[in-house]
Amino acid sequence: MQAWTLVTPASRGIGLEIARRLLKTTNIPLVATARKDPDQTRENILTGLDGIEQDRLHVLKVDVLDEATIELAAADCESLFPRKTNYLHLAFALPGLLFPEKSPTQISYDDALLTFRTNTLGPMMLLKHFSPLLPRKSTQLATTDGLPPQAVWATLSARVGSISDNNLGGWYSYRASKAAVNQITKTFDNHLKSSAGDKAMAISLHPGTVKTGLSKEFWGNVKKGKLFEADFAAEKLVQVVNGRQIEDRGRCWDWKGEEVPP
């Protein structure tokens, strides 16, 4: 069986850098997604990657707010990588949006709804349509340098999604949406136990505070040495995923490889 990987979205920030890292550190096909302008995203991913086989990269259009685009992209992937001879070995589901409500009076219904549609329903719809492409119990897994031993579905979460670690409050919709991501991860992993056994698992990831548009408003409040460039965060997250054992399944892990409590 042949393996392939997925990074969605990959048009900027952490997703862009994870896509670039996987192209550099593995030799298998990569599917990246962009909400708009896939050609520009392809150019951004490949810039400076001399010696990479460019036909390994496929860029598809996906808007996590539009389920039809997710369904179409999954169908395209099945055409590119038929299930009889291929399987999805590693997926990074990375959609994210933040409206930082400091008090209950700042909560906007529309902003909160958009947060949940992006941060929670987005990953849920991605796993709905792409999960059939993950291995089954009968799948013969490929051994590939730069990838974990078992297939992994990794969803971007955040430390603020931890209920037991919430000592500051605020950020109501973002915290709740990321707590929901961790619940989805656990629930999906239970499904994978039945469908794939030890051959596939789900985890969620906390990247730290990364220098992207999502966190720009808070850069000045971050302690020295704790604001990460996107390429550093990508490197660490790929290392964390590659270092997970099957007993780590269903949980949230930070960029250092330490568990984030539920």
Side-chain angles (χ1 to χ4, degrees), residues 157-159 203-208 226 228 233 236-241 244 251-261:
S157 184
R159 186 173 297 279
I203 60 173
S204 51
L205 298 170
H206 167 57
K226 295 296 185 181
F228 305 140
K236 290 299 181 182
L237 293 181
V238 171
Q239 287 177 359
V240 169
V241 169
R244 293 310 91 199
R251 293 183 276 169
C252 183
W253 302 92
D254 74 5
W255 62 276
K256 301 186 297 293
E258 299 175 0
E259 184 179 2
V260 176

Side-chain angles (χ1 to χ4, degrees), residues 98 171 208-220 222 227-228:
L98 169 61
W171 294 25
T209 304
V210 183
K211 203 171 183 180
T212 65
L214 182 142
S215 65
K216 188 172 184 178
E217 184 178 341
F218 317 105
W219 291 354
V222 180
L227 179 61
F228 305 140

Side-chain angles (χ1 to χ4, degrees), residues 2-3 19 38 43 62 71 79 82 85 96 99-100 103 114-115 120-121 139-140 164 206 223 227-228 252 256 262:
Q2 300 295 313
E43 180 179 334
V62 167
E71 184 175 16
S79 296
T85 54
F99 294 102
S103 74
L114 182 58
T115 299
T120 308
L121 288 175
T139 303
Q140 290 295 115
S164 61
H206 167 57
K223 293 180 181 179
L227 179 61
F228 305 140
C252 183
K256 301 186 297 293

Side-chain angles (χ1 to χ4, degrees), residues 51-68:
I52 298 295
E53 296 178 23
Q54 296 190 8
D55 59 358
R56 286 172 48 206
L57 174 63
H58 307 267
V59 183
L60 303 177
K61 189 173 182 179
V62 167
D63 181 351
V64 296
L65 302 180
D66 182 355
E67 186 182 358

Side-chain angles (χ1 to χ4, degrees), residues 97-134:
L97 183 68
L98 169 61
F99 294 102
E101 314 101 338
K102 295 180 181 178
S103 74
T105 59
Q106 294 180 324
I107 300 171
S108 158
Y109 181 92
D110 288 340
D111 288 349
L113 182 60
L114 182 58
T115 299
F116 275 94
R117 290 185 65 205
T118 304
N119 295 357
T120 308
L121 288 175
M124 193 185 298
M125 292 300 102
L126 287 169
L127 67 85
K128 171 185 175 180
H129 292 288
F130 281 94
S131 61
L133 307 180
L134 290 164

Side-chain angles (χ1 to χ4, degrees), residues 78-92:
E78 187 159 7
S79 296
L80 287 167
F81 312 110
R83 274 190 267 180
K84 287 185 178 180
T85 54
N86 301 264
Y87 72 94
L88 175 56
H89 192 101
L90 176 59
F92 284 92

